[in-house]
Amino acid sequence: MTFGSAKDKEVVKAFWTKLAPKADDVGADALSRMLVVYPQTKTYFAHWKDLSPGSAPVKKHGKTIMGGVADAVGKIDDLTAGLLDLSELHAFTLRVDPANFKILSHNILVVLAIVFPNEFTPEVHVALDKFLGALSRALAEKYR
Amino acid sequence: MVKWTEEERCTIREVWEKVDVDEIGPQILTRVHIVYPWRETYFGTFGDIFTNTSILNNPKVAHHGKVVLRSIDKAVRIMDRIQETHAALSRLHYECVDPDNFKLLGDCITISIACKLKEALNPQVQAVWQKFLCAVVEAMNSQNK
């Protein structure tokens, strides 16, 4: 999966250096919002004791998700190859409907707008939206 | 018809009170044109909307942003009759705008409001606000059927 232009990659990497120190909090907040705003997504986490915003399992998994995003930033030149193992995990073990990748991406963007209101310009928004879209398509690669 | 609890009505009005239509309207349309540039298809009379700089400086983009938010203002004020009050707008758009674009516009509205409200747009408030936007999007698509 090729993603974007050289400029898009530059924008994503530059924004990531600002985001990285707050990545865990961003992940936890995005996941919290997904579970509250799109309650159908709770089905994947029925084994957690507490799905409320900011709970321990939500924080832990938010950190895991953003670890995956960080990995993807590092493999931005070939997301498909770089995310093969994660794609297999989501397709065969976790069995997540790929429609949910877009839902989580939207909530990540909402959190970025809140945490970085001045830096999350339309230009940064479009580059990140394209990146998260490409990441989602790479994650869905092994489904069929 | 969407049903609203009293708490939901309060939440939507509290979000809307913080939105300055003249400030946020242009920001929303600018964001939409930059993030989803294929919408250029629908704005042939707007002049130059082909670069980020031209979009940011285009007075017709800014004006249309205010027009869009004024229709949202109407929906906030008449929450129980959104389909009825937006029927004419839906008919105006239905043969020329792909319905998916209203959802994309809704997403940009949420993100622009997130920049303004910051943490005040907590998960519960976001849920109610997006429920409201879904009702508006559904009303805008109502004449497609």
Side-chain angles (χ1 to χ4, degrees):
Chain A
M1 172 65 51
T2 56
F3 152 70
S5 63
K7 175 85 199 294
D8 288 327
K9 291 178 193 177
E10 194 187 298
V11 169
V12 168
K13 287 178 188 172
F15 192 78
W16 184 258
T17 60
K18 292 190 179 81
L19 166 54
K22 302 186 184 190
D24 292 354
D25 290 338
V26 166
D29 196 2
L31 187 57
S32 296
R33 285 169 193 275
M34 185 184 83
L35 294 168
V36 169
V37 182
Y38 303 89
Q40 71 274 19
T41 59
K42 289 183 188 175
T43 191
Y44 296 106
F45 307 101
H47 55 287
W48 285 358
K49 281 198 172 103
D50 185 356
L51 277 81
S52 59
S55 68
V58 168
K59 278 186 180 170
K60 184 174 174 218
H61 198 60
K63 185 175 173 177
T64 301
I65 288 169
M66 293 310 278
V69 175
D71 194 36
V73 174
K75 295 169 180 172
I76 206 168
D77 290 318
D78 191 347
L79 287 169
T80 306
L83 300 181
L84 261 179
D85 288 348
L86 263 182
S87 179
E88 282 186 2
L89 175 71
H90 284 76
F92 303 123
T93 307
L94 302 175
R95 298 179 191 265
V96 176
D97 185 331
N100 293 293
F101 301 150
K102 186 154 177 48
I103 291 176
L104 180 56
S105 297
H106 168 69
N107 285 290
I108 290 173
L109 295 176
V110 169
V111 174
L112 294 180
I114 289 170
V115 176
F116 301 101
N118 299 318
E119 295 92 332
F120 196 66
T121 61
E123 292 85 350
V124 168
H125 180 169
V126 65
L128 281 169
D129 191 45
K130 286 168 75 173
F131 170 66
L132 290 174
L135 196 166
S136 300
R137 287 190 297 278
L139 268 186
E141 182 69 19
K142 298 298 275 185
Y143 277 69
R144 58 174 178 174
Chain B
M1 194 181 81
V2 183
K3 292 203 186 316
W4 307 103
T5 64
E6 209 39 58
E7 193 181 342
E8 284 171 338
R9 290 174 197 277
C10 283
T11 298
I12 292 162
R13 286 183 194 127
E14 280 170 9
V15 167
W16 195 245
E17 268 163 23
K18 298 180 176 79
V19 172
D20 178 340
V21 165
D22 290 340
E23 177 200 4
I24 305 285
Q27 289 174 11
I28 288 169
L29 252 287
T30 299
R31 194 171 283 272
V32 165
H33 278 290
I34 289 174
V35 179
Y36 307 112
W38 55 87
R39 294 188 87 239
E40 285 161 14
T41 306
Y42 304 115
F43 297 98
T45 60
F46 275 34
D48 187 0
I49 48 169
F50 305 113
T51 65
N52 291 354
T53 307
S54 59
I55 291 166
L56 286 161
N57 294 308
N58 188 308
K60 288 188 176 181
V61 168
H63 175 72
H64 197 67
K66 295 179 196 178
V67 166
V68 167
L69 282 210
R70 282 183 202 126
S71 85
I72 304 267
D73 181 68
K74 200 168 173 183
V76 172
R77 286 185 289 109
I78 317 177
M79 250 179 262
D80 294 313
R81 294 190 290 122
I82 296 177
Q83 286 232 353
E84 193 185 311
T85 56
H86 281 63
L89 259 182
S90 176
R91 276 192 298 275
L92 180 68
H93 287 80
Y94 96 100
E95 277 190 344
C96 41
V97 178
D98 186 291
D100 283 350
N101 286 290
F102 297 128
K103 188 188 175 309
L104 297 180
L105 175 58
D107 286 349
C108 279
I109 291 172
T110 298
I111 282 171
S112 292
I113 285 181
C115 286
K116 178 76 180 177
L117 269 63
K118 304 191 204 44
E119 286 82 10
L121 191 79
N122 64 42
Q124 291 79 5
V125 170
Q126 182 188 339
V128 174
W129 176 252
Q130 287 195 201
K131 177 182 170 182
F132 168 73
L133 280 183
C134 278
V136 176
V137 167
E138 197 181 318
M140 287 302 292
N141 286 326
S142 63
Q143 301 299 304
N144 278 6
K145 298 168 191 140

